[in-house]
Amino acid sequence: MENNFLLVVKNVIPFYRTKLGRYCQFWYVMLFGLLFIAVMWWSYNIGDTKSRESLLPQHKDRVSILVNKTQTLKILEDLDLSPEEWDQIQRAVQWGGPDQEITTVNMSTSPDHTTFVINNFKDSYSVGEELHVTIVAKDLTGRPKTYGGDFFKVKVYSAKLKASVFGEVLDHHNGTYLARFTLPWVGEASVAVLLVHSSEAVQIIKRHRETDPDRNIYYGYFVGKNSQGAIVEERAACNVKWEGVALPGEEPCCCEYPDLKAKLTWLCRKPPTLPCNTLVYHGMGPYYVNHWTDLEKAIMNEQYVERWIKGDSRVIRVLASNSTIGQREKCKPGMPTPIPAGFYMNDVWTSFVCATRHFNAANDKTQCLKDKHIYMMGDSTLLQWYNFIINSVPSFRRMEMHSHSHNGPFLAVDLGNNIDLNYRTHGVPRRNPRAKFADMHYISNEIDGIAGGPHIVIVFNIWAHFKLFPHSYFAHRVSQIRRAVVDLLRREPATKVIIKTANSGLRNFGSVDWLSLQLDRILREVFRDVGVYILDVWQMNACHYNKEEVHPGPVIIKNEVDILLSFICPG
């Protein structure tokens, strides 16, 4: 046997030293390598599918994961965001959730069984002292939950004093939560805890936002002459051109309306007969196509949504102290937003961000805005500010622009004080009654067209019409605005740029607050360290005693505008 082996070696080795032998040796190695790769691929994709899929998060199919990877590559290719910045955005929107498959509605968090207790309750507290409250989540059978992800809003309030303050909720990811408050006023107070959505409901909302391609439907209206010379109008479905966003309809595809500077493209199906360049109007279509399963519908039932939970009803007594809460320095760009950002007392907001003022008289407002050119760009919640300022200052005159009642553009002037106040909607997508497509400009393009200077104030917001779009698309829009703002501040550093954050108070699935909160976090992360003013209205709306509405009442708007004017005129 040994002699046979030596004989083989003596014959093979000289062969491999020949040119032909080396050639064969190369292909043997290549064949073995390919065989090894094939075996590994089979093992990963077929042979061990069950063990790997069991580790994936609930409802996460492999197609959606591949789409998310594609979106990540696209966003890093197109945006003015580094990989590190995109990673920070992903971290900012992380949210806990179930660690097991949800098979029955009884596993969902119960607003009737969930409770809370004040930790280490005392006979009295001092102004500025922290109050801690533990929330214990339980399912519909009354069993304590073992994972986190529930969406709570919390506040300390006094109905008698018309006082309230927003609280921070920390998720321990084990079914318990810590609500943390700062006690800012002298007098009595109570704790209130609102279960907005169970962790199971949050996962449903999140999954459908990520995987449903037909979340929003819009229409384009084309106007032109037919072959007989008569004026006709044709309608076609439209949407953004983006990975994971579908364009419904069976009409021929497609008319593209690219904006090369903003790196954005609006897409419409081709109308039946008219050419693409006859697009005149934009309007909203049906709001959200529901793809929920029966179990998901049961979990999202309104009896489990937006419910105040029962808990510790002991009255908190707060005594005066010498401590100072929050910042009392002059308002300036780049200031962080603490929790709490301020508090209400007798319907008047005191800010902890900086030394804000209250502009009660019309003359106070005109003196602040004198010789200013103010540009407002955003949605209907920002239009509330525009209208409030004009209505509270008699010297303003609205200029008739023959504009759309929701979108603008609008202009008001005070000739005696050399003030002009401008408002226009942000660009598509926009859910509004039929309006002229050409009037809907991208915010980044508008800012690029403003020279800037110490007499210029730019105020914008963007969130409400983007809730059901992929986070990558919203980050793209916001990053383009950031690029424009950075360029503006580089050429005119004295320009004031103020960002209004998202409002709370949205309820139906297409407009739930959890989606708004996610976009708000993205916006804040993108503009971190840019040197702009961030005007937080989320806390102001969420903790007031009035019912939360996305379009809050005059009391809240007045306090928001006071902060806006304090940023413009820090005193």
Side-chain angles (χ1 to χ4, degrees):
M1 189 73 172
E2 185 177 351
N3 290 337
N4 290 337
F5 174 76
L6 292 174
L7 183 62
V8 170
V9 171
K10 286 179 181 180
N11 286 285
V12 169
I13 290 178
F15 170 74
Y16 278 119
R17 288 175 178 171
T18 66
K19 186 175 181 179
L20 177 61
R22 287 194 299 271
Y23 179 81
C24 292
Q25 184 180 13
F26 168 79
W27 284 108
Y28 288 154
V29 172
M30 289 295 293
L31 182 62
F32 177 79
L34 290 172
L35 181 62
F36 177 77
I37 292 171
V39 170
M40 293 299 293
W41 180 90
W42 183 90
S43 175
Y44 183 78
N45 288 279
I46 300 173
D48 195 28
T49 300
K50 283 190 175 180
S51 63
R52 283 185 299 102
E53 289 185 347
S54 65
L55 299 176
L56 294 177
Q58 180 195 1
H59 296 310
K60 291 287 189 180
D61 58 76
R62 292 164 62 187
V63 173
S64 68
I65 292 172
L66 290 174
V67 168
N68 287 337
K69 288 181 178 179
T70 304
Q71 290 173 352
T72 299
L73 292 173
K74 178 174 177 58
I75 196 170
L76 294 178
E77 176 185 343
D78 291 348
L79 302 191
D80 296 321
L81 292 172
S82 67
E84 292 75 20
E85 288 174 319
W86 178 241
D87 183 63
Q88 286 299 318
I89 288 173
Q90 296 293 85
R91 293 175 184 274
V93 298
Q94 279 184 348
W95 196 273
D99 57 1
Q100 55 191 285
E101 184 179 1
I102 305 304
T103 57
T104 171
V105 68
N106 286 334
M107 300 174 71
S108 187
T109 306
S110 166
D112 295 316
H113 295 303
T114 298
T115 187
F116 65 90
V117 62
I118 300 171
N119 298 352
N120 303 314
F121 184 84
K122 301 191 300 186
D123 291 336
S124 64
Y125 297 81
S126 300
V127 167
E129 192 171 348
E130 274 203 353
L131 179 75
H132 289 181
V133 173
T134 295
I135 303 170
V136 180
K138 297 180 182 180
D139 65 23
L140 293 179
T141 69
R143 290 176 300 186
K145 300 187 69 176
T146 58
Y147 52 83
D150 296 301
F151 180 25
F152 292 102
K153 292 180 190 174
V154 296
K155 65 180 179 180
V156 166
Y157 72 99
S158 169
K160 179 180 179 181
L161 299 174
K162 292 185 177 180
S164 55
V165 63
F166 189 80
E168 180 180 22
V169 178
L170 304 177
D171 189 347
H172 294 312
H173 303 290
N174 61 3
T176 67
Y177 304 78
L178 176 66
R180 193 162 56 192
F181 306 90
T182 298
L183 301 175
W185 65 80
V186 175
E188 295 183 347
S190 301
V191 176
V193 178
L194 180 71
L195 174 62
V196 184
H197 283 296
S198 67
S199 55
E200 295 76 19
V202 168
Q203 294 304 306
I204 293 169
I205 294 166
K206 180 175 183 289
R207 182 173 80 89
H208 285 283
R209 188 207 63 225
E210 292 175 348
T211 60
D212 293 353
D214 50 355
R215 310 167 190 84
N216 288 295
I217 299 174
Y218 305 91
Y219 292 127
Y221 297 87
F222 298 77
V223 181
K225 292 183 178 181
N226 62 14
S227 57
Q228 288 77 39
I231 299 296
V232 297
E233 179 178 292
E234 297 175 347
R235 190 184 76 176
C238 301
N239 214 328
V240 303
K241 184 180 181 180
W242 198 259
E243 187 76 36
V245 179
L247 185 61
E250 299 179 355
E251 299 87 353
C253 194
C254 282
C255 296
E256 293 195 4
Y257 304 92
D259 188 302
L260 299 180
K261 191 168 188 179
K263 300 180 182 179
L264 295 165
T265 298
W266 187 247
L267 198 65
C268 293
R269 294 279 180 186
K270 286 184 178 180
T273 64
L274 295 175
C276 291
N277 63 2
T278 58
L279 175 62
V280 178
Y281 299 104
H282 165 81
M284 59 185 175
Y287 198 38
Y288 182 67
V289 178
N290 190 322
H291 297 289
W292 295 349
T293 65
D294 290 340
L295 175 59
E296 289 172 339
K297 290 176 182 177
I299 292 173
M300 296 294 294
N301 190 291
E302 61 182 12
Q303 65 180 312
Y304 308 131
V305 175
E306 291 265 348
R307 291 278 305 278
W308 295 101
I309 66 176
K310 297 176 182 178
D312 200 329
S313 60
R314 288 176 290 182
V315 176
I316 302 156
R317 292 174 175 80
V318 186
L319 307 178
S321 72
N322 296 323
S323 63
T324 301
I325 310 172
Q327 296 291 330
R328 291 294 181 267
E329 63 178 304
K330 183 177 178 180
C331 298
K332 59 186 179 183
M335 297 172 297
T337 302
I339 299 179
F343 72 101
Y344 286 106
M345 171 66 78
N346 292 320
D347 278 340
V348 176
W349 180 266
T350 298
S351 174
F352 294 153
V353 176
C354 61
T356 57
R357 302 156 54 195
H358 299 291
F359 296 78
N360 296 319
N363 186 61
D364 295 338
K365 297 182 180 71
T366 55
Q367 289 306 305
C368 171
L369 298 177
K370 189 173 183 177
D371 295 322
K372 296 287 193 303
H373 307 288
I374 302 101
Y375 298 89
M376 292 183 167
M377 295 163 272
D379 59 36
S380 57
T381 64
L382 188 59
L383 181 58
Q384 285 188 283
W385 287 8
Y386 174 87
N387 288 324
F388 182 89
I389 293 172
I390 294 171
N391 293 336
S392 61
V393 179
S395 55
F396 267 117
R397 293 290 180 268
R398 295 178 187 263
M399 305 302 293
E400 179 55 61
M401 306 289 287
H402 304 285
S403 302
H404 188 274
S405 60
H406 291 77
N407 295 0
F410 302 126
L411 171 65
V413 298
D414 181 340
L415 295 177
N417 292 291
N418 191 33
I419 307 168
D420 64 84
L421 183 61
N422 304 265
Y423 170 86
R424 74 180 315 131
T425 185
H426 59 65
V428 288
R430 182 75 158 81
R431 294 196 62 79
N432 55 255
R434 182 164 136 157
K436 290 182 178 179
F437 180 72
D439 277 340
M440 307 177 76
H441 300 178
Y442 296 123
I443 292 176
S444 57
N445 288 348
E446 286 292 299
I447 294 175
D448 282 334
I450 298 173
H455 57 291
I456 299 295
V457 179
I458 294 173
V459 187
F460 73 86
N461 79 324
I462 183 168
W463 61 279
H465 297 265
F466 298 83
K467 296 180 301 300
L468 292 177
F469 286 91
H471 281 170
S472 57
Y473 180 74
F474 182 70
H476 177 88
R477 290 290 289 263
V478 175
S479 72
Q480 292 305 307
I481 299 172
R482 182 184 72 171
R483 190 271 312 154
V485 168
V486 169
D487 289 347
L488 171 65
L489 295 178
R490 185 181 295 117
R491 62 181 179 262
E492 278 292 354
T495 309
K496 278 190 166 64
V497 179
I498 301 168
I499 303 176
K500 175 187 175 295
T501 67
N503 280 23
S504 65
L506 293 171
R507 289 177 178 83
N508 63 65
F509 171 72
S511 300
V512 296
D513 271 354
W514 184 82
L515 293 171
S516 301
L517 181 62
Q518 293 271 292
L519 298 191
D520 193 62
R521 290 180 175 183
I522 293 174
L523 182 141
R524 291 173 190 264
E525 183 61 36
V526 170
F527 276 92
R528 184 162 53 91
D529 302 327
V530 172
V532 298
Y533 294 85
I534 302 290
L535 202 165
D536 181 278
V537 297
W538 182 275
Q539 297 184 41
M540 298 177 73
N541 204 26
C543 77
H544 196 265
Y545 61 81
N546 281 344
K547 181 182 178 181
E548 276 188 84
E549 298 289 352
V550 67
H551 297 108
V555 171
I556 297 175
I557 295 296
K558 197 274 180 190
N559 282 285
E560 293 174 352
V561 170
D562 277 350
I563 300 176
L564 171 67
L565 296 175
S566 296
F567 286 175
I568 297 172
C569 307

